[in-house]
């Protein structure tokens, strides 16, 4: 992968440290310096955070960027051009001003800070992928470029389930452990605790309704997904009359048997006893049992696994490079061909970024199209959610239960560089596309499988959605509202899992010519647990949320002011009778820095969101769509978001336009 690449992590921010950890996992050699001059090291890449360093270091970083000798990746809160640039912002403050904090918490409660440094972790993952892309460009074209990554852009980009309402002119509120577009989807009481149950299709709803055996669930007011979302309060009460008759293990086992995603809430300390975590990370589990969780425990958990694709694959390298891939300013992955078999968030997120980086991405959808296409709101028969996650792809519909369509997929895969999918483990193998078969079809293929619990799993038959993984990885344990665990408002486990997959794929593409196919395995639970363990071993100051007449503001606690002292300051400033803007000013006069907690719909008028995050694309009919830029900027070979795909075409209609040959 990135063997023999020399990287300097220069700075003390979490994002720099985590980015270095990820790149080291891909084979790079890492040097770490918090204060030394970068000239003290030999390196290819320098990772910095220029907004949290001294003036002298900022000057040195500017000189390094101008020299064009190294790939310099600068991870900052707001980016060099933002209206808020030049100020150090904590992860919690970025969560507040990006709208991310306001989406987390219960509908009748206050906003909640996510219990892991989500913006910094997300920035580290995206920065790692961007660095790998820049290394590929350097190897193929000899171009050395700089990279800017913003925490604000990473946080706002995670709002794909909430921004659609803002695009439609509505205000999206907090939903607690619910999903804004699916029901039933919540935490339900059992006889001995809580269970997360998540459904997204009519088939899953019918299964839950059948096993629950609650007659009132057959009422017409629950007949459609839209009806269930509209009547979700009553629906959840009825579901809980069933779950309350079972213990958590019984309910989990029953849901697993019928193919519905479900699972218990696990504490971070309890990860060592969680069956799947212990099976996949026995060393980390033993260390937690023996000495608890410290600042380095997370390093014993890998966010991706890499192995040979197939034992029967013949060694084969690609000896030619597409001439377009050598052009000076095209995307880093121009000439790369990708097949995506994905739905919802994880694999589609990977495909979106690979396409933005220049790859040709063909998305395979079922005959009726991906379910998320029909979610509301949207336009022209397609949801905003689907558009946000699937820009710049070619889409075709295949029924992989039919041999003719499987044969068409084999043709696509024969000339592909990458296959990425987030189906249930074993689903592709049952269709004739297991690792050995893929190795025969294409000996040099990079095959990336993303699943909730991994291929080698204690739960081989258990489906998993984002909320279940958040529950079973420690994320919800660290994110609490008045002591009660609550999921991240954003689909955190899905997004982080997709980002880990993106990095692993691009890192493989950045290395020298491959001699054999590669299998990349992503377990979303692994990635989420990695984040939870890092946060638990590297705790952030508590901080407080303060109520104002038009919303809330966030105050970071520090060694000078504890959370209790901040509450007292807010009370003296009479924040409850002030607007957020006035409260921030009043607290500043008292020597306390506060930031407003933005609502998602307010981002549409935020200058930094408009400049750094929001963009516009068009579909084949000329309709304009609001879309999101990628939160990393490569100075010489930028990623681009241009198009929203239309309805998927059948292979007979679109053979010419989707051929990967």
């Amino acid at each position: 992968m990135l063997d023999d690449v020399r990287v300097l992590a220069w700075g003390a921010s979490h994002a720099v440290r985590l980015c270095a950890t990820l790149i080291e996992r891909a084979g790079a050699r890492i040097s770490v310096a918090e204060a030394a001059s970068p000239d003290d090291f030999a390196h290819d890449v320098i990772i910095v955070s220029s907004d949290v360093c001294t003036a002298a270091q900022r000057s040195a970083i500017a000189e390094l960027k101008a020299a064009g000798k190294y790939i310099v990746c600068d991870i900052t809160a707001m980016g060099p051009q933002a209206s808020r640039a030049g100020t150090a912002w904590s992860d919690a403050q970025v969560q507040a001003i990006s709208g991310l904090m306001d989406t987390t918490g219960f509908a009748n409660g206050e906003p909640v800070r996510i219990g892991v440094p989500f913006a910094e972790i997300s920035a580290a993952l995206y920065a790692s992928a961007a660095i790998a892309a820049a290394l590929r460009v350097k190897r193929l074209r000899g171009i050395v470029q700089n990279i800017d990554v913003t925490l604000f852009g990473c946080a706002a980009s995670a709002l794909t389930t909430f921004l659609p309402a803002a695009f439609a002119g509505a205000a999206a509120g907090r939903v607690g452990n619910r999903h804004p577009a699916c029901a039933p989807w919540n935490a339900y009481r059992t006889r001995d605790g809580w269970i997360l149950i998540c459904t997204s299709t009519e088939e899953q709803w019918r299964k839950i309704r059948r096993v629950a055996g609650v007659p009132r669930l057959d009422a017409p007011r629950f007949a459609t997904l839209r009806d269930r979302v509209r009547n979700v309060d009553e629906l959840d009460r009825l579901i809980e009359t069933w779950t309350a008759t079972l213990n958590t293990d019984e309910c989990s086992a029953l849901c697993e048997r019928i193919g519905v995603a479900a699972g218990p809430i696990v504490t971070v300390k309890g990860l060592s006893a969680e069956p799947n975590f212990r099976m996949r990370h026995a060393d980390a589990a033993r260390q937690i049992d023996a000495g608890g969780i410290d600042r380095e425990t997370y390093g014993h958990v890998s966010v991706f696994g890499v192995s040979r694709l197939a034992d029967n694959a013949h060694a084969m390298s690609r000896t030619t490079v597409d001439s377009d891939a050598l052009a000076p300013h095209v995307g880093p992955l121009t000439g790369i061909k990708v097949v995506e078999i994905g739905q919802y968030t994880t694999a589609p997120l990977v495909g979106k970024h690979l396409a933005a980086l220049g790859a040709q991405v063909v998305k395979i959808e079922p005959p009726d199209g991906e379910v998320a296409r029909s979610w509301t709101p949207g336009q022209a028969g397609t949801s905003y959610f689907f558009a946000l996650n699937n820009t710049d792809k070619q889409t075709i519909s295949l029924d992989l239960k039919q041999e003719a369509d499987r044969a068409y997929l084999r043709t696509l895969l024969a000339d592909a560089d990458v296959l990425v999918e987030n189906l249930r483990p074993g689903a592709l193998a049952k269709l004739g596309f297991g690792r050995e078969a893929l190795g025969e079809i294409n000996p040099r293929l990079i095959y990336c499988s993303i699943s909730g619990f991994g291929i080698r799993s204690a739960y081989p038959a258990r489906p998993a959605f984002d909320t279940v993984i958040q529950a079973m990885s420690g994320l919800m344990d660290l994110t609490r509202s008045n002591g009660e665990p609550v999921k991240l408002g954003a689909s955190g486990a899905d997004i982080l899992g997709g980002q880990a997959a993106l990095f692993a794929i691009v890192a493989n593409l950045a290395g020298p010519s491959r001699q054999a196919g590669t299998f990349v395995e992503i377990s979303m639970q692994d990635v989420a647990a990695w984040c939870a363990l890092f946060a638990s071993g590297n705790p952030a100051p508590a901080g407080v949320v303060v109520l104002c007449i038009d919303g809330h503001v966030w105050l970071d606690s520090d060694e000078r002011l504890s959370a209790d002292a901040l509450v007292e300051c807010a009370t003296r400033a009479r924040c409850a009778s002030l607007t957020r803007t006035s409260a921030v000013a009043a607290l500043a006069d008292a020597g306390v820095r506060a930031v407003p907690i933005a609502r998602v719909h307010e981002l549409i008028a935020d200058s930094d969101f408009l400049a750094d995050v929001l963009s516009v694309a068009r579909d084949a009919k000329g309709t304009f769509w609001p879309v999101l830029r990628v939160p990393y900027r490569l100075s010489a070979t930028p990623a681009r978001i241009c198009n929203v795909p239309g309805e998927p075409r059948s292979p007979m209609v679109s053979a010419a336009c989707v051929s990967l040959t």
Side-chain angles (χ1 to χ4, degrees), residues 166-239:
F167 295 158
R174 290 180 292 280
V175 295
N177 291 320
R178 288 172 171 165
H179 190 287
C182 297
W185 187 303
N186 208 344
Y188 302 97
R189 292 185 185 275
T190 63
R191 285 208 312 260
D192 61 350
W194 293 84
I195 187 168
L196 272 295
I197 297 177
C198 306
T199 66
S200 64
T201 67
E202 292 302 315
E203 180 183 6
Q204 291 167 352
W205 160 243
R206 287 191 292 270
K207 289 178 177 178
I208 282 289
R209 187 181 62 189
R210 185 167 58 250
V211 300
V214 178
R216 282 183 289 172
L217 292 176
D218 295 326
R221 60 185 173 279
F222 304 128
T224 69
L225 176 59
R226 184 173 295 183
D227 291 332
R228 294 192 294 279
V229 171
R230 187 183 301 118
N231 298 291
V232 68
D233 290 336
E234 182 183 4
L235 175 67
D236 282 344
R237 286 194 294 270
L238 292 175
I239 293 291

Side-chain angles (χ1 to χ4, degrees), residues 21-379:
T21 299
L22 290 162
I23 292 177
E24 185 175 37
R25 173 68 181 84
R29 291 183 289 162
I30 305 296
S31 299
V32 178
E34 294 188 2
S37 167
D39 291 330
D40 295 339
F41 302 88
H43 37 263
D44 303 293
V45 178
I46 306 174
I47 312 168
V48 297
S49 288
S50 63
D51 58 348
V52 290
C53 62
T54 66
Q57 288 172 331
R58 281 195 293 273
S59 177
I61 290 169
E63 291 179 5
L64 289 168
K65 289 180 178 180
K69 184 178 178 181
Y70 313 108
I71 295 171
V72 181
C73 180
D74 193 359
I75 307 173
T76 59
M78 303 303 303
Q81 305 301 322
S83 65
R84 301 179 178 99
T87 302
W89 298 81
S90 69
D91 187 273
Q93 290 170 333
V94 172
Q95 288 186 36
I97 63 178
S98 67
L100 194 60
M101 189 180 291
D102 196 58
T103 66
T104 302
F106 296 103
N108 58 352
E110 64 184 19
V112 174
R113 186 199 66 174
I114 294 171
V116 301
F118 182 88
E120 294 211 61
I121 292 171
S122 180
L125 285 159
Y126 276 136
S128 300
I131 288 169
L135 286 166
R136 174 181 167 83
V137 172
K138 180 182 177 183
R139 177 172 63 83
L140 292 179
R141 307 178 215 172
I143 297 173
V144 176
Q145 60 189 308
N146 298 321
I147 303 165
D148 282 298
V149 182
T150 67
L151 272 62
F152 180 83
C154 292
S157 295
L159 297 171
T160 50
T161 54
F162 291 89
L163 284 168
F167 295 158
R174 290 180 292 280
V175 295
N177 291 320
R178 288 172 171 165
H179 190 287
C182 297
W185 187 303
N186 208 344
Y188 302 97
R189 292 185 185 275
T190 63
R191 285 208 312 260
D192 61 350
W194 293 84
I195 187 168
L196 272 295
I197 297 177
C198 306
T199 66
S200 64
T201 67
E202 292 302 315
E203 180 183 6
Q204 291 167 352
W205 160 243
R206 287 191 292 270
K207 289 178 177 178
I208 282 289
R209 187 181 62 189
R210 185 167 58 250
V211 300
V214 178
R216 282 183 289 172
L217 292 176
D218 295 326
R221 60 185 173 279
F222 304 128
T224 69
L225 176 59
R226 184 173 295 183
D227 291 332
R228 294 192 294 279
V229 171
R230 187 183 301 118
N231 298 291
V232 68
D233 290 336
E234 182 183 4
L235 175 67
D236 282 344
R237 286 194 294 270
L238 292 175
I239 293 291
E240 198 164 83
T241 65
W242 162 61
T243 61
T245 67
L246 305 169
N247 65 40
T248 304
D249 288 343
E250 290 171 341
C251 199
S252 295
L254 180 57
C255 288
E256 182 172 344
R257 194 180 77 221
I258 64 174
V260 170
I265 296 175
V266 177
T267 66
V268 181
K269 292 181 179 178
L271 280 172
S272 63
E274 201 287 312
N276 196 59
F277 181 89
R278 192 169 190 90
M279 186 186 79
R280 292 177 61 84
H281 307 287
D283 180 59
R286 285 192 295 269
Q287 293 207 19
I288 294 170
D289 288 340
I293 299 168
D294 61 30
R295 68 190 307 267
E296 301 297 339
T297 303
Y298 78 101
H300 296 280
V301 176
S302 176
V303 299
F304 62 87
V306 177
S307 58
R308 186 166 176 164
L309 175 61
D311 292 335
N312 64 355
H314 302 292
M316 177 181 179
S317 62
R318 188 173 186 173
T319 56
T320 60
V321 177
D322 191 313
S323 60
D324 288 341
L326 298 178
H329 302 297
V330 298
L333 301 185
T334 299
I336 295 297
K337 302 169 184 179
V338 179
V339 175
E340 174 204 311
I341 307 177
Q343 54 186 341
Y344 307 122
T345 300
T346 47
L349 180 145
V350 178
K352 166 188 171 172
H353 283 269
L354 294 176
L357 289 167
Q360 178 189 0
V361 179
V362 175
K363 179 182 179 71
I364 308 299
E365 299 188 51
D368 294 331
E370 182 183 327
V371 171
R373 279 182 176 271
S374 62
W375 291 358
T376 57
Q379 60 181 1

